Amino acid sequence: MTAQGLDRESGASERRWRRRSLWSLVLLIPLSLAIGSYDSVKALLGGNDLFPRRVAWGESARFGGSDWKLTDLRGAFGMPNLAPDTVPVLADFSVKIGDPDLQNRWLGCKVMLIDKDGRRWLPTSIASLKTTDNVQTCISAIFSGAKRGDTLNLRETFLVPKEATKSIRPAVGVASERPHFLLFQLEKD
């Protein structure tokens, strides 16, 4: 074989490898982007309450290792020193403890109200209402030392616009269940 033939053959081989390398980039670039963003997507989904599990009125649902039941949702009308277009709303839950490791199972416990438009309200301490000694909030219950089989009474207080009270639904989210959360339906739903 001559030197000229070897140059042609090596040039063709080099072009083939160059083409293969360029085509491999079509696969490798999206793959590397997907791998690099996996942790970010996982954190986004894990930190937000995105997918509701609907619970009918009077029913209980296993969530965060315990059985949650909405026992009451009511407005506390006539409280002084509040804006005229707002209403304090009380959400009461009865929770039967299944897994007593609440500090891990209920980490990031969040009780909220959601209306038909998807607006969300978190509990407030502005409208303080006297509660009995055996009623706790979601966060205080984490540190209550509850044992398997105990029933905890939880109450959260919200301050919502009057016009939203017709369509609000209570919801509960905990880190061990995210991105899923419980969405309680009212008896008229």
Side-chain angles (χ1 to χ4, degrees):
M1 203 175 228
T2 65
Q4 200 173 24
L6 282 175
D7 285 340
R8 259 191 242 138
E9 190 176 306
S10 71
S13 176
E14 185 178 328
R15 281 191 296 277
R16 236 179 290 138
W17 276 107
R18 191 177 301 142
R19 258 186 268 129
R20 288 179 187 163
S21 297
L22 288 173
W23 280 108
S24 70
L25 288 176
V26 171
L27 294 172
L28 292 176
I29 289 175
L31 183 63
S32 67
L33 288 173
I35 290 171
S37 63
Y38 173 76
D39 287 336
S40 298
V41 170
K42 185 177 170 185
L44 174 70
L45 292 176
N48 292 310
D49 300 306
L50 300 174
F51 306 111
R53 281 183 40 207
R54 298 188 190 290
V55 181
W57 178 263
E59 299 289 319
S60 65
R62 186 73 143 173
F63 194 70
S66 300
D67 295 320
W68 290 75
K69 182 178 181 179
L70 176 67
T71 56
D72 198 9
L73 180 70
R74 67 189 181 283
F77 296 94
M79 289 190 62
N81 302 329
L82 294 178
D85 59 339
T86 60
V87 175
V89 175
L90 306 175
D92 293 333
F93 298 89
S94 174
V95 184
K96 184 170 183 182
I97 304 301
D99 183 348
D101 186 14
L102 301 184
Q103 292 182 11
N104 286 319
R105 297 300 303 261
W106 289 16
L107 184 68
C109 182
K110 181 169 45 173
V111 178
M112 60 199 132
L113 296 179
I114 303 174
D115 74 354
K116 65 180 175 17
D117 297 327
R119 297 181 299 174
R120 296 178 182 212
W121 290 270
L122 295 175
T124 183
S125 60
I126 293 174
S128 62
L129 301 173
K130 293 181 180 179
T131 61
T132 58
D133 292 335
N134 63 349
V135 176
Q136 303 174 27
T137 65
C138 191
I139 300 299
S140 67
I142 292 173
F143 304 102
S144 67
K147 296 172 182 45
R148 183 180 314 274
D150 288 353
T151 300
L152 300 179
N153 295 314
L154 306 181
R155 173 177 290 158
E156 297 289 356
T157 305
F158 301 87
L159 199 55
V160 298
K162 277 184 185 176
E163 90 323 297
T165 58
K166 292 179 177 81
S167 67
I168 55 174
R169 304 292 175 265
V172 176
V174 294
S176 65
E177 298 282 346
R178 285 192 177 101
H180 299 280
F181 67 98
L182 293 181
L183 180 61
F184 292 89
Q185 304 300 304
L186 301 182
E187 51 192 324
K188 56 186 168 243
D189 290 344

